[in-house]
Amino acid sequence: MNGLYYIYQYKTTNVLLRMRKFITLIIFSAIIVVCAPKQQKPVRIEPVKKDTVKSVPANEFGMWKIASYAGNLGDNRNTAYLTNTFAIWGSFSDNTNEKAELKVKFLIDKETFSIKLLEHGTKTVKKGDENLYKICIKSSANEQIEFTARNVLDRIFIKGTDAQKIIELFNKGGVISFSLISDSKTSPAKYAFALENPDGFGNAYKKLSE
């Protein structure tokens, strides 16, 4: 009798355990369904609209700008002149320097065309014992002009006819290379520099003349 009782208890316990597992499984499945995130509809990705690239108009004066002598260079005249907007760099060689740094500044007004040379970028080349500078200018189109000019005080002044030839080269653009050699007996020197695309000069000079 006891044996039958224990068998009955054993079967009953197994049935209860199986039911408990089944109920637990149902509850767990229900929790997953409730907590699972809702699936969103696929979002259509629109192509990104690109802004229209607007070309920036080139400066009509190119590398040149109009300035005023007033309060500049010790000159009291209120006269406009043309000069290079950015520094022009080159090199110079003399008795103590070999291809040292050179800075160049153009000073051009209605009456004069001059070039100011600054050795090492700061020391202005002033008149010494030289009489003339031999100047050679070449364009990227293999055009070449040669002439001589004088340093009157702190800049080299170029005669009108020679200045006009330079202006014609400027207006054609390209690379314009300069070579200047002084005939100084005590300190002969050679200067070299180049301008890239100086073709806005014509517009700037026309504006200066208005």
Side-chain angles (χ1 to χ4, degrees):
M1 187 71 178
N2 289 336
L4 293 174
Y5 174 76
Y6 286 121
I7 292 172
Y8 174 78
Q9 285 290 100
Y10 175 76
K11 290 182 178 181
T12 303
T13 303
N14 284 343
V15 171
L16 291 175
L17 288 174
R18 289 176 183 175
M19 290 182 65
R20 184 178 297 174
K21 289 181 181 180
F22 181 71
I23 294 171
T24 303
L25 181 60
I26 293 175
I27 295 173
F28 182 72
S29 300
I31 292 173
I32 292 177
V33 172
V34 173
C35 297
K38 295 182 179 180
Q39 185 176 1
Q40 296 181 350
K41 294 181 180 180
V43 179
R44 182 180 178 185
I45 300 175
E46 296 291 338
V48 178
K49 294 182 180 180
K50 296 181 179 180
D51 294 333
T52 303
V53 179
K54 297 180 180 179
S55 58
V56 179
N59 181 3
E60 61 176 338
F61 295 164
M63 61 171 285
W64 306 99
K65 68 177 180 179
I66 299 176
S68 174
Y69 282 126
N72 185 35
L73 307 174
D75 199 321
N76 294 322
R77 296 177 300 168
N78 187 22
T79 306
Y81 69 97
L82 293 184
T83 188
N84 41 294
T85 302
F86 305 105
I88 299 170
W89 296 99
S91 63
F92 77 96
S93 300
D94 56 18
N95 293 336
T96 58
N97 296 279
E98 180 65 26
K99 292 186 177 180
E101 191 174 64
L102 173 71
K103 187 178 180 180
V104 181
K105 188 171 185 179
F106 283 82
L107 301 166
I108 305 161
D109 56 39
K110 296 177 182 179
E111 300 175 358
T112 60
F113 190 113
S114 60
I115 303 173
K116 192 169 186 178
L117 305 174
L118 295 93
E119 295 176 346
H120 306 292
T122 56
K123 182 184 177 183
T124 301
V125 176
K126 296 183 179 181
K127 178 174 173 53
D129 68 344
E130 80 285 342
N131 292 315
L132 295 169
Y133 282 80
K134 183 179 179 180
I135 301 175
C136 178
I137 304 175
K138 295 181 180 180
S139 72
S140 53
N142 293 323
E143 294 178 86
Q144 180 173 315
I145 55 177
E146 294 183 358
F147 54 89
T148 57
R150 296 179 184 274
N151 188 337
V152 178
L153 179 62
D154 64 352
R155 66 201 68 175
I156 299 170
F157 283 88
I158 297 172
K159 293 182 295 186
T161 53
D162 296 324
Q164 185 57 43
K165 294 177 183 178
I166 298 175
I167 292 173
E168 290 174 3
L169 288 183
F170 283 177
N171 289 334
K172 292 179 181 179
V175 179
I176 312 296
S177 302
F178 284 72
S179 174
L180 299 85
I181 302 175
S182 74
D183 62 0
S184 171
K185 296 179 177 61
T186 59
S187 184
K190 181 177 180 180
Y191 303 89
F193 60 92
L195 282 68
E196 295 187 10
N197 299 321
D199 48 322
F201 185 88
N203 293 331
Y205 193 76
K206 182 179 179 181
K207 184 69 175 179
L208 181 70
S209 302
E210 292 179 353

